[in-house]
Amino acid sequence: MFRKLYIMSAIKSTPSIAVPAKKSRRLQQKSGCKEEETLETTLAPVVTAKTRGTQIPIGLGHTPFPFNEKVSLKAIREQKKLEVKMAPNAKDNSVKVGEEHQADLPDFNPSLECDGQDREEVMWRPSPKTFDDHESYQAAYFLPIWYQFKGQIPFDVALQNLMHHDYDIGKALETVDGKLSTLPQKFKDLAKVQMRKFREIYETRTKQGVRMEIPTRKLQEKAMRNYHIAEVQGFYHRFENRALEGSSCTCPVLAHPEVVPRWACGNCTKHLKPTTTEDQCLICLNYKAVTGTTRPANNPVFTDEELQKILNWKKVEEQAERPVSKEEFEQIQKQSKIDRLLRNELTEEERLIVEPGQLPHKKKNLTGAQMQENGWNLVEQLEECPLGLSVFRQCNCDARDHVIENAMSIEIRKAVKRKSVDEEKQVQNSNAAKKPRRVLKRL
């Protein structure tokens, strides 16, 4: 009995987090403050809805989304119930009507409202020099940009850059990497555990076997916590498009040479690190193929990740006092990450990715062998699982019309046509069944 009374008194004495304890009027008169002032000063901060990252960060860095699962819609709804609404202090709340109570608005001045500047941005204007060799422009300009930057520089931005340089492919290739500083950050490949979870959610089906439409918020919460919701939406469409590739067109893929990363390009990194390698990225290779000269690369723009790799590579070569190949450097970087994970050391972003429930040992105080076993599990979970880029094909399908269109749309039209024909036949058969029989009249 005493224990029950003690618990009840403790509950009553504990103040609410959202609503402060009210003071009696006698205590308020002694302290010299009003009830409204006390509530305003002691009210706890209201829980607000956390953004899901509708805007991807712009620039050369990589900012993971700080997913906070503690802030939920349920907590926000509960907080709304506990809010204290104070009565207005105005004495007269009646609406005033008449000429004396009209708002005083300044006269309209068109010069202040409209500055005459064109707010639209031209992305592409056809060249006055007519050229019909679009395939050469695609092979020498856009495809190298697409594969080298892994889709980070889209087609319209690449065309705008070409237009700004008077349709000169050489000048456009020299400066195209400067667009990285004004575009959304580079998309980071999903980890193995994230890709597995994403596929499971994506393949969720109803009892009838139809694939369900999964909300983007659920994909972010369950599989892609460290990604902004705008990145989740873009990845969802890329994943869906990759699943449909090859189903409508089986023409050969446009060939391209092996892609050397820009941090390993001997020409792009010549001002940051002494190098003896002759490997070059697709931008430098196509610049030389178009102009006949080596790309200057006087002020190349790198992402923060690429720049860090260049500096780490330089440091490894200085410590080894010899040139280190790209493959050897990548192996050193990989082993350094494995050693860190075997010590169970995770970054803030990696903590959002891993699933602690899959670890073999979940206790706090682990032995060295148990930590190492957990570490190898972390290595497997955090292994990168790239999706790959959409491929370009030299389409020569016999089924396409004179105008350029997707072969999938033709198949859809054929299916719709077959369906309409079948429906017409069903209607005809039903009408024939309902047709009244002829009755012979007796003479």
Side-chain angles (χ1 to χ4, degrees):
M1 183 68 182
F2 290 104
R3 185 179 179 184
K4 184 176 180 182
L5 291 174
Y6 175 77
I7 294 174
M8 292 299 295
S9 62
I11 293 174
K12 291 180 180 179
S13 62
T14 304
S16 174
I17 296 175
V19 182
K22 266 188 176 183
K23 290 184 179 181
S24 64
R25 295 185 181 276
R26 180 175 56 83
L27 293 176
Q28 288 179 20
Q29 290 175 0
K30 285 185 178 181
S31 60
C33 64
K34 296 181 179 179
E35 183 179 356
E36 290 81 359
E37 295 176 357
T38 307
L39 288 174
E40 288 179 1
T41 55
T42 59
L43 188 62
V46 179
V47 178
T48 56
K50 191 174 182 64
T51 176
R52 289 297 186 100
T54 54
Q55 293 184 354
I56 304 175
I58 304 296
L60 304 174
H62 174 73
T63 305
F65 178 72
F67 190 87
N68 186 7
E69 59 184 355
K70 294 182 180 179
V71 178
S72 62
L73 294 178
K74 183 178 180 181
I76 296 170
R77 288 195 298 266
E78 294 296 328
Q79 180 67 42
K80 291 293 184 183
K81 295 178 182 178
L82 299 175
E83 284 184 356
V84 179
K85 296 182 179 180
M86 306 304 299
N89 296 325
K91 296 181 180 179
D92 188 3
N93 296 329
S94 61
V95 179
K96 307 299 181 182
V97 180
E99 296 182 357
E100 299 177 356
H101 304 285
Q102 298 301 315
D104 187 12
L105 299 177
D107 296 334
F108 176 72
N109 190 353
S111 60
L112 296 177
E113 298 295 332
C114 249
D115 53 5
Q117 295 182 4
D118 190 4
R119 300 296 181 183
E120 295 183 343
E121 184 180 6
V122 180
M123 299 303 295
W124 174 251
R125 184 182 293 113
S127 171
K129 306 173 185 178
T130 57
F131 56 89
D132 299 327
D133 195 7
H134 297 281
E135 294 181 356
S136 299
Y137 274 81
Q138 184 186 38
Y141 181 67
F142 179 65
L143 289 183
I145 294 174
W146 177 258
Y147 288 116
Q148 184 65 59
F149 296 99
K150 296 183 178 181
Q152 187 179 2
I153 300 180
F155 186 57
D156 54 344
V157 176
L159 285 178
Q160 186 187 42
N161 185 62
L162 180 64
M163 179 185 65
H164 287 168
H165 290 87
D166 198 20
Y167 309 94
D168 188 336
I169 295 180
K171 293 180 180 179
L173 286 174
E174 169 62 17
T175 58
V176 71
D177 55 356
K179 297 294 182 180
L180 295 175
S181 58
T182 60
L183 288 172
Q185 66 182 7
K186 182 181 178 182
F187 185 84
K188 186 178 180 180
D189 293 330
L190 269 69
K192 189 175 182 180
V193 63
Q194 289 179 303
M195 182 63 78
R196 181 170 63 248
K197 191 66 177 177
F198 184 91
R199 290 181 184 275
E200 291 177 2
I201 300 174
Y202 179 83
E203 294 295 337
T204 305
R205 297 181 179 273
T206 61
K207 295 181 180 180
Q208 291 75 20
V210 181
R211 192 173 64 81
M212 297 175 59
E213 290 291 335
I214 308 299
T216 313
R217 285 178 175 269
K218 183 177 180 180
L219 290 172
Q220 183 191 30
E221 181 180 354
K222 300 296 183 182
M224 302 176 66
R225 291 186 173 187
N226 57 319
Y227 292 88
H228 297 73
I229 200 165
E231 295 176 304
V232 178
Q233 186 178 17
F235 179 80
Y236 176 83
H237 291 301
R238 281 177 51 202
F239 187 88
E240 202 168 32
N241 292 338
R242 289 285 293 175
L244 294 174
E245 277 186 4
S247 59
S248 60
C249 177
T250 56
C251 293
V253 178
L254 291 175
H256 62 87
E258 183 181 358
V259 180
V260 175
R262 297 177 67 238
W263 58 266
C265 175
N267 188 41
C268 291
T269 61
K270 59 186 177 183
H271 298 294
L272 297 173
K273 179 181 79 71
T275 180
T276 56
T277 180
E278 297 181 356
D279 294 339
Q280 292 187 359
C281 62
L282 294 181
I283 306 300
C284 294
L285 288 175
N286 282 270
Y287 182 93
K288 189 172 184 179
V290 171
T291 63
T293 58
T294 305
R295 181 179 174 225
N298 294 323
N299 189 22
V301 179
F302 295 101
T303 62
D304 293 350
E305 181 185 3
E306 292 173 338
L307 184 60
Q308 189 61 43
K309 283 187 176 182
I310 296 171
L311 298 179
N312 290 343
W313 194 358
K314 181 180 179 180
K315 184 178 180 180
V316 169
E317 288 184 337
E318 290 176 352
Q319 292 176 351
E321 297 181 353
R322 62 177 178 84
V324 177
S325 64
K326 170 179 169 291
E327 291 75 16
E328 186 180 357
F329 171 71
E330 288 180 330
Q331 186 62 32
I332 292 173
Q333 293 286 101
K334 183 179 180 180
Q335 187 61 42
S336 176
K337 181 180 179 181
I338 291 176
D339 294 340
R340 177 175 60 83
L341 294 178
L342 290 179
R343 298 192 300 268
N344 296 172
E345 297 176 2
L346 297 173
T347 63
E348 292 297 328
E349 184 176 5
E350 289 172 344
R351 293 181 188 278
L352 295 173
I353 297 174
V354 298
E355 294 185 3
Q358 295 186 5
L359 296 176
H361 305 285
K362 304 175 182 62
K363 296 185 298 182
K364 291 184 178 180
N365 300 324
L366 302 177
T367 62
Q370 291 174 342
M371 288 183 62
Q372 193 171 13
E373 191 174 354
N374 279 358
W376 284 114
N377 185 279
L378 293 174
V379 171
E380 183 182 1
Q381 288 192 44
L382 295 174
E383 182 183 354
E384 290 187 357
C385 190
L387 178 63
L389 290 174
S390 300
V391 296
F392 290 85
R393 300 177 183 272
Q394 187 65 40
C395 184
N396 294 312
C397 295
D398 298 331
R400 66 178 182 174
D401 298 340
H402 297 290
V403 294
I404 301 175
E405 59 181 345
N406 190 0
M408 179 63 77
S409 60
I410 299 175
E411 296 297 329
I412 292 174
R413 289 207 311 270
K414 289 181 179 179
V416 172
K417 187 176 180 180
R418 287 195 300 268
K419 184 178 180 182
S420 61
V421 171
D422 294 340
E423 289 178 353
E424 289 179 0
K425 289 182 179 179
Q426 290 178 1
V427 171
Q428 291 176 0
N429 295 335
S430 62
N431 292 337
K434 294 179 181 179
K435 188 175 181 180
R437 292 178 296 176
R438 296 176 63 184
V439 180
L440 297 175
K441 293 182 179 181
R442 294 182 180 182
L443 298 175

